[in-house]
Structure formats: structure tokens, C-alpha cells
């Protein structure tokens, strides 16, 4: 006999999907979203820091030689 939360439903392609599987997938998706947001925030901070450091040195442009 199945335990609570193990009810089986059929997905769009006709494969049985349990609610537990869907809950685990949903938690994994939320975790992935959180990790992506953290990564994007880190990239934004790094870009802002890099842009700010370029402003500190105004004469960073390449000069023609000779």
C-alpha cells in the first residue's frame, strides 16, 4: 500500500508521476533559481567593481605609437 503523498498521477506524456516526485522537482527548481540569482548578483557586483575601477584611472585608453 502506498504511503501518503505517493498518489500517482499521469503526466502530459502519460508516464506516472507521484506527488513526491513533483515536490522534489519543485524544490530542485527553486534551489536552482536561487543559485542562478546568487550567481547573477555576483556577476553584477564584479561588473560594477570593474567599471568603477576603470573610472578611477581615466588615462587607460590606448595611445597611438610614434
Amino acid at each position: 500500500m502506498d504511503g501518503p503523498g505517493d498518489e500517482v498521477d499521469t503526466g502530459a506524456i502519460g508516464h506516472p508521476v507521484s506527488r513526491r516526485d513533483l515536490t522534489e522537482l519543485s524544490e530542485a527548481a527553486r534551489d536552482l533559481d536561487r543559485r542562478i540569482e546568487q550567481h547573477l548578483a555576483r556577476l553584477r557586483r564584479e561588473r560594477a567593481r570593474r567599471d568603477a575601477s576603470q573610472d578611477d584611472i581615466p588615462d587607460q585608453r590606448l595611445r597611438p605609437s610614434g
Side-chain angles (χ1 to χ4, degrees):
M1 183 165 190
D2 290 337
D6 287 341
E7 293 84 3
V8 175
D9 193 4
T10 54
I13 35 183
H15 297 292
V17 178
S18 73
R19 288 185 185 177
R20 181 181 298 166
D21 290 341
L22 293 175
T23 299
E24 290 173 2
L25 284 173
S26 181
E27 290 171 1
R30 280 192 297 272
D31 183 53
L32 185 59
D33 282 344
R34 181 183 54 78
R35 289 170 49 200
I36 290 170
E37 286 302 320
Q38 288 174 346
H39 182 68
L40 289 174
R42 191 189 85 222
L43 291 175
R44 286 185 204 107
R45 286 191 304 271
E46 289 175 0
R47 174 179 276 174
R49 197 175 317 129
R50 188 173 54 241
D51 290 347
S53 69
Q54 288 178 357
D55 292 341
D56 292 344
I57 307 170
D59 203 355
Q60 246 185 350
R61 290 178 236 115
L62 293 175
R63 297 179 191 178
S65 59

